[in-house]
Structure formats: structure tokens, C-alpha cells
């Protein structure tokens, strides 16, 4: 029986999934043979234990984006194996960076054509390195929602339907994104950076030969990751042309940045704390853009109280950060003390918001969008605007609204749909469209 090794600590979320079938290829009777303590697979360098896993060599080694630097085995669901990974990727500018993540795969013979890959793009966890999804002791688990009594973590942890995807016989890979886990300021909702990190995680998974990962890939993303998923569909041919992207699925995707920040979206559902939470997200956007675009200035979008909060965004994961905002200004009705009015935000900022809004270019694969009507985080009206843009390019886009579903419940209530939709894309069935 495969030995299970304890992993590193921190706090976070992450993982990913896939589907496939075919004739089995013979594999060694003892898959542990030749692997040392912590070794992910034969021939894969073993990464350090603990926090040191996330500190890449300096300077970064030469190599192609997607090259695996090292990996370390972690606990996995029954019948599967999983590893933390550190790999090369790039920022939107083309600058090389190291990115961490996780890969999981079935511990059984693979189909003759290899295993399909589903890349998981996680939702917002915040800005600090410590919020990396892969950094919890056991990251390869089904989704553990932060807003449940089951969660000991400060963020959502795991992957929706992980065990179902693994049970279908395929590889699961999930990026932490640049700046979460590894050094550097996280370029939150900078579309090209996030898409690069997702696509390179797939390349890295293929370099672990034990996964038997093939080139057929689907992307599943939630919230921040939903927007990242939409960008992978637009960027894949130019960035990783060997990746055969069969479909892109987004749960309440953050896919309407330009209109949102231009004040062009009708109001959506609200709750007692949603204003403070959305203020935290807004500061997170500003911090990510300030890291990505040196011409932008914090003073153009934030008042003095907001500049103070900006520093806090680098110290606390998103739910902690939003609670601090609620306590410090939200409870007093003073959220407007954080921000310059949107009408006063310089054009340079709005230019970058629009650049990072998916749906202005064609995607290479069918799209599935799932949105709860009671979502107070991603405005359903924003999602509808994205879908209208995406429908202009002739690619099948299926838009499903779940009445009463919230931002936190959408991964659960839509589970059957995205499992079946991804399976159909791998099977080559025609994609439905509501355009």
C-alpha cells in the first residue's frame, strides 16, 4: 500500500481535476519502488519541507515556462496520489517567476492515450504569501468551504468534486498563482498572469511521468479563478499551443472588471457585510494592479485611510481582511473614506481594467458559466454582461443561472452540471449554447 507522507503547514486552498477512458497501460506492480522520502515520482527533484518549499532558487534556473523545479508528496484521497509542485511561469510582462501548486492523479494503470487534465483555478484567498491554497497540511481534498463549521482554515480549501474527478480517472492540477506561496506581490485579476500560471501548471503536471497526463485539458475556475479560466481560453494558442483545450467552465466568474469599475453595471444582491467584503476585494484589485503596472499610482484611487488599508491587504487573507474593514469603517458607515470616487479614477487605471476584462476576444473552446442569483460577491448582472460579450464570437457559451444560490454555494449546487459538461467535452460531444 502506498505510504502517505505528512505535508507542510500554512493556510490556503487548491487542487484540480480531469476525465478519460481507454485501454490500460501496464505499470510497475510497486509504484513506490525507487522513490525516497517525500519523492513525488522517480526522476522528480524532491522539494524542501515546510515553508522552504516555496522559496525558489535565486536566481531562477534557465528553462521553459512550465518546467518543474521540484515537488513533494502530500496526502491524497484513497486510490490517488498527490504532490505539491514548484514550477516556472511568467508574468503578463513575460518576466519569469516561480509558482507553486498541487497535482493529483489516480494511483492505477492509465489509459493507453494517457489521462485528460482538468486545471483548477481557485477563487480569491487574498494577497499574502501565506494564503497559498497548496500550503495547508492536506490540500488534496474535496472543497472545505470557509463559511462552514467544518473548516479550520481562514480561506476555502480543496477542490470542488475532487474525488469525483479522480474517480473518473484523470489528472487534477491547481495553481496557487504567482505571489501566493512564492515571493512577489500577487497580481490579482491580472488576466494574462493568471492564465499563464494556470496553463504552466498543466505543463508541469505533464512533466511528472507517473501522472500520464496527456494534452487534452479542461479548465474549471471559481470567482477570481473563473475570470482566469476565461483568459486561458483566449490565450492558450499563443502561450501553450500544444495544450488541447476542450472547454472552460466558470463558477461565478470575475469576468467584468472594466464595466464594474466604470460604474456601468446595475446593482446586484447585497447583505449586511457585502459592502465591506467588496471593499476588501477592491483594494485587492488595486494592490495587484500596482504590482503589475508601474505607471499606476495608489494615490489616484485611494484616500489616506485606503492607503493604510492597502498595507493590511499584504498581511491578512481575504476574509480576515474584510472583517477588519467591516470593524474599522464599515460598522461606522464610512467605507467611502477608503476610496477616491470612481469618476475621479484616472484613465490609465480604466485602460488596465478593460485590458483585464475577458470577452473582448474569442475563446478557442466552448464555455460554461454558472451563476447564483443571490450572489453578493460577483454581481449576477456583471456575469450577464460577460456572457453577452462572449456570445459575439460564435463559440458555444452555456449560461446557467441558479436561483437562490450564493457565491459560496454555487460550487456545490452546480456540481452535477460541471462534472457532466466537462465529461462531455472530453468525450467530444457537441457543446450546448444559450447564446
Amino acid at each position: 500500500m502506498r505510504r502517505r507522507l505528512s505535508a507542510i503547514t500554512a493556510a490556503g486552498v487548491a487542487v484540480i481535476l480531469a476525465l478519460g477512458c481507454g485501454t490500460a497501460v501496464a505499470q510497475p506492480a510497486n509504484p513506490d519502488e525507487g522513490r525516497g522520502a517525500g519523492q513525488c515520482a522517480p526522476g522528480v527533484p524532491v522539494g524542501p519541507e515546510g515553508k522552504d518549499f516555496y522559496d525558489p532558487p535565486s536566481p531562477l534556473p534557465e528553462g521553459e515556462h512550465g518546467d518543474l523545479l521540484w515537488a513533494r508528496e502530500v496526502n491524497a484521497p484513497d486510490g490517488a496520489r498527490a504532490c505539491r509542485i514548484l514550477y516556472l511561469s511568467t508574468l503578463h510582462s513575460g518576466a519569469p517567476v516561480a509558482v507553486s501548486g498541487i497535482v493529483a492523479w489516480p494511483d492505477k494503470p492509465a489509459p493507453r492515450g494517457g489521462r485528460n487534465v482538468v486545471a483548477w483555478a481557485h477563487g480569491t484567498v487574498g494577497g499574502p504569501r501565506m494564503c497559498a491554497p497548496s500550503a495547508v497540511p492536506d490540500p488534496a481534498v474535496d472543497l472545505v468551504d470557509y463559511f462552514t463549521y467544518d473548516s479550520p482554515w481562514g480561506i476555502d480549501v480543496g477542490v470542488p468534486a475532487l474525488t469525483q474527478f479522480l474517480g473518473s480517472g484523470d489528472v487534477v492540477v491547481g495553481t496557487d498563482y504567482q505571489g501566493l506561496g512564492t515571493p512577489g506581490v500577487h497580481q490579482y485579476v491580472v488576466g494574462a498572469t493568471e492564465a499563464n500560471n494556470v496553463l504552466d501548471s498543466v505543463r508541469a503536471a505533464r512533466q511528472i511521468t507517473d501522472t500520464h497526463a496527456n494534452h487534452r485539458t479542461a479548465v474549471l475556475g471559481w470567482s477570481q479563478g473563473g475570470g482566469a479560466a476565461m483568459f486561458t481560453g483566449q490565450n492558450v494558442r499563443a502561450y501553450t499551443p500544444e495544450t488541447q483545450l476542450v472547454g472552460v467552465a466558470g463558477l461565478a466568474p470575475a469576468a467584468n472588471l472594466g464595466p464594474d469599475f466604470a460604474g456601468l453595471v446595475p446593482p446586484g444582491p447585497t447583505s449586511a457585510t457585502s459592502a465591506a467584503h467588496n471593499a476588501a476585494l477592491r483594494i485587492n484589485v488595486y494592490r495587484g494592479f500596482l504590482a503589475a503596472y508601474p505607471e499606476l499610482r495608489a494615490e489616484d484611487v485611494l484616500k489616506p485611510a485606503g492607503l493604510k488599508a492597502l498595507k493590511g491587504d499584504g498581511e491578512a487573507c481575504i476574509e480576515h481582511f474584510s472583517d477588519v474593514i467591516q470593524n474599522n469603517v464599515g460598522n461606522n458607515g464610512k467605507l467611502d473614506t477608503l476610496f477616491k470616487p470612481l469618476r475621479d479614477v484616472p484613465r490609465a487605471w480604466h485602460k488596465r481594467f478593460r485590458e483585464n476584462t475577458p470577452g473582448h476576444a474569442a475563446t478557442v473552446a466552448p464555455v460554461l458559466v454558472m451563476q447564483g442569483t443571490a450572489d453578493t460577491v460577483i454581481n449576477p448582472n456583471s456575469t450577464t454582461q460577460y456572457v453577452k460579450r462572449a456570445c459575439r464570437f460564435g463559440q458555444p457559451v452555456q449560461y446557467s443561472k441558479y436561483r437562490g444560490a450564493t457565491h459560496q454555494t454555487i460550487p456545490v449546487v452546480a456540481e452535477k452540471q460541471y462534472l457532466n459538461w466537462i465529461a462531455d467535452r472530453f468525450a467530444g460531444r457537441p457543446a450546448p449554447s444559450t447564446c
Side-chain angles (χ1 to χ4, degrees):
M1 199 169 187
R2 183 176 58 82
R3 182 178 64 254
R4 298 193 177 218
L5 303 174
S6 60
I8 62 180
T9 61
V13 139
V15 208
I16 295 215
L17 333 155
L19 304 153
C21 57
T23 305
V25 174
Q27 293 184 358
N30 180 8
D32 287 330
E33 187 175 346
R35 296 214 313 271
Q39 187 166 29
C40 179
V44 177
V46 179
E49 292 187 271
K51 294 187 297 183
D52 291 344
F53 183 92
Y54 294 89
D55 290 327
S58 182
L60 287 175
E62 295 290 330
E64 296 292 323
H65 59 85
D67 280 356
L68 191 65
L69 296 179
W70 57 55
R72 194 170 187 92
E73 190 175 26
V74 298
N75 289 338
D78 290 341
R81 291 171 54 197
C83 296
R84 284 192 184 85
I85 56 175
L86 191 76
Y87 61 94
L88 292 177
S89 190
T90 61
L91 303 177
H92 75 99
S93 63
V97 289
V99 178
S100 55
I102 185 168
V103 60
W105 67 96
D107 192 13
K108 61 182 180 181
R112 186 168 300 278
R115 294 188 174 103
N116 300 322
V117 181
V118 178
W120 167 244
H122 68 78
T124 303
V125 294
R129 289 180 67 180
M130 67 178 182
C131 305
S134 74
V136 301
D138 293 311
V141 295
D142 287 319
L143 179 67
V144 181
D145 190 331
Y146 168 76
F147 290 100
T148 66
Y149 292 119
D150 297 328
S151 176
W153 312 114
I155 56 174
D156 304 309
V157 169
V159 181
L162 172 62
T163 53
Q164 288 95 319
F165 281 112
L166 291 172
S168 295
D170 301 299
V171 179
V172 174
V173 63
T175 182
D176 287 330
Y177 311 125
Q178 158 276 340
L180 296 174
T182 52
V185 178
H186 175 39
Q187 294 187 0
Y188 180 67
V189 295
V190 174
T193 295
E194 293 178 347
N196 293 353
N197 299 165
V198 171
L199 291 167
D200 284 329
S201 73
V202 176
R203 276 191 169 183
R206 289 201 299 266
Q207 291 192 357
I208 301 174
T209 56
D210 280 13
T211 68
H212 293 273
N214 62 32
H215 289 85
R216 290 164 54 79
T217 303
V219 181
L220 173 66
W222 179 23
S223 195
Q224 171 190 5
M230 302 311 160
F231 269 104
T232 64
Q234 296 178 187
N235 297 2
V236 59
R237 282 181 178 162
Y239 190 70
T240 56
E242 79 285 355
T243 300
Q244 299 171 17
L245 191 66
V246 301
V248 175
L251 295 154
N256 205 47
L257 207 63
D260 287 343
F261 276 81
L264 299 178
V265 184
T270 61
S271 69
T273 59
S274 60
H277 188 274
N278 288 327
L281 294 174
R282 185 172 168 183
I283 292 173
N284 211 32
V285 171
Y286 289 155
R287 183 173 183 265
F289 276 47
L290 287 165
Y293 306 111
E295 79 276 11
L296 301 181
R297 293 168 16 107
E299 295 78 6
D300 288 335
V301 293
L302 294 168
K303 296 178 181 178
L307 294 172
K308 185 177 180 180
L310 182 66
K311 296 179 181 179
D313 191 37
E315 301 295 331
C317 297
I318 193 64
E319 303 304 343
H320 177 187
F321 185 49
S322 64
D323 286 345
V324 173
I325 289 177
Q326 178 70 42
N327 181 76
N328 288 358
V329 290
N331 288 341
N332 302 321
K334 296 182 178 179
L335 286 172
D336 60 344
T337 64
L338 300 175
F339 305 108
K340 297 285 183 69
L342 287 177
R343 64 179 180 274
D344 296 336
V345 171
R347 182 173 298 178
W349 278 91
H350 286 291
K351 176 176 178 290
R352 296 304 189 183
F353 293 147
R354 189 182 188 283
E355 288 174 4
N356 289 282
T357 302
H360 292 295
T363 180
V364 303
V367 173
L368 170 65
V369 178
M370 298 151 285
Q371 176 66 52
T373 61
D375 195 325
T376 63
V377 178
I378 296 296
N379 184 343
N381 297 316
S382 293
T383 302
T384 297
Q385 289 187 356
Y386 161 73
V387 170
K388 287 181 178 178
R389 289 194 304 275
C391 280
R392 296 179 304 177
F393 295 97
Q395 190 68 255
V397 179
Q398 184 176 6
Y399 184 23
S400 296
K401 299 179 183 179
Y402 285 82
R403 185 166 299 280
T406 69
H407 197 68
Q408 294 303 126
T409 63
I410 191 67
V412 176
V413 299
E415 181 179 287
K416 182 178 180 180
Q417 183 177 22
Y418 59 76
L419 283 170
N420 290 337
W421 188 87
I422 290 173
D424 286 346
R425 302 292 75 72
F426 282 129
R429 300 185 183 97
S433 181
T434 55
C435 292

